[in-house]
Amino acid sequence: MAGKMAVADTASRADALVIGGGPAGLMATEALLDAGLSVLLADQKPSLARKFLMAGKSGLNITHDSTPAAFRAAFGAATWLHPALDAFGPREAIAFCEALGQETFTGSTGRVFPKAMKASPLLRAWLARLAGKGLQTRTRWRWQGDLGPFTFETPEGATEIAPRVTVLALGGASWRRLGSDGAWALPLASAGIPLTPFAPSNSGLWVRWSDHMRRHFGAPLKNVAFRAGDLTSQGEAVISERGLEGGGLYPLTPALREGAPLKIDLAPGLSMDDVARRLARRRGKESLSNRLRKALNLAPQAQALLMEWGRPLPGDAAELAACVKYLTAQHDGLRPMDEAISTAGGIQADALDTGFMLNSHPGIFAAGEMLDWEAPTGGFLLTASMATGLCAGRAAARYGRADARL
């Protein structure tokens, strides 16, 4: 790097370096500290875990109350994550929160929340615990992409660090303003590390609505089911000015990325025959809107979607029932990657050993959304980020202790 290096501070002599202060990086940090290594945690932003705090503003899903098998199934083909998820799954995530003084509760959908419903109390308690264990933190340190010695642009100038072990926990490629900009991909690819290109995950859809939909902007879609390809999801979504978004839709992102049509079941609690029978019971000059409301209990926003994408609506009850049960959404694809909650893609599994160390760069580990996996929201994503951070941190600690004895 051009320019004179800044005078090194005591942090340059840390045993371990963790780059990235989100949940994965913090978990790796704690594992390293618990193993007796001194740790420097560096982050490019003015404060740590900004995406974590933003995600928790509307209610922090710390994990999902699932059986181990059901929890693992949410990660699809990424079976290489299973050992990490078995070591830190829903029970361990709950115990982690409660050890920090944050009681939890489980919602009706299986999502687990801290009772405070926010990320900030949990983060404050966590950072205080890490500080008590001797953590050194540096913010506004931007890693320059080299793989040892590691150089940073800092407020004090360029700084170089050569630790025994390093954990990279730099996030994916969404929410750039919070630090997950994916800029690390280029230097890692240049170093020959195999990467899968980034793609949006847990993403909303672009929809060019007709004018009649304006009065429904911000309205929730409840008691509906979504299907795309082989994936199904039943949960809430929101009609927004720019399209559709929400937890009920996000798990379908992998299929939608591949071009599968989105089908919406507006009456998931009824069979097709039930819907047809109810719709056939016409009472006098009852309007179609009243018939849909009375027969199927369709909310105004659900009826609006039926009108938006189903017109001209068939008069035959069986054909109308098929429209209600298999309404095809007309959209312009996924929203931009930076608006997605998370990203797919990243460091491929065959680039890593079982402790998430880079095979081509011994002593350098990676964790969190940098790795090539994806999972739905609702606690799966966060727990897996923490699980991979813990696994990488423990493996890095073993490597660092062995290295010190050479």
Side-chain angles (χ1 to χ4, degrees), residues 2-49:
K4 187 176 180 180
M5 290 291 172
V7 176
D9 63 13
T10 57
S12 65
R13 295 188 291 275
D15 300 322
L17 170 66
V18 176
I19 308 177
L26 293 174
M27 288 295 286
T29 295
E30 188 147 29
L32 288 159
L33 289 169
D34 287 345
L37 278 69
S38 58
V39 182
L40 169 66
L41 173 61
D43 194 278
Q44 65 178 327
K45 289 302 194 180
S47 57
L48 302 179

Side-chain angles (χ1 to χ4, degrees), residues 89-155:
R91 290 186 179 182
E92 290 77 14
I94 292 169
F96 170 84
C97 285
E98 294 185 347
L100 288 169
Q102 302 300 307
E103 293 185 60
T104 63
F105 71 95
T106 302
S108 59
T109 61
R111 299 182 179 195
V112 180
F113 303 85
K115 285 190 175 179
M117 289 297 290
K118 296 180 181 178
S120 50
L122 177 64
L123 180 61
R124 283 195 300 269
W126 195 2
L127 293 178
R129 186 167 76 183
L130 292 173
K133 294 179 179 183
L135 173 63
Q136 301 177 75
T137 302
R138 298 293 183 273
T139 54
R140 295 188 173 92
W141 278 35
R142 179 175 288 275
W143 175 48
Q144 298 302 288
D146 36 29
L147 292 173
F150 294 83
T151 53
F152 295 84
E153 281 297 334
T154 81

Side-chain angles (χ1 to χ4, degrees), residues 362-382:
I364 301 178
F365 299 74
E369 283 193 66
M370 291 186 73
L371 309 182
D372 183 17
W373 59 272
E374 63 179 316
T377 58
F380 298 101
L381 183 67
L382 178 56

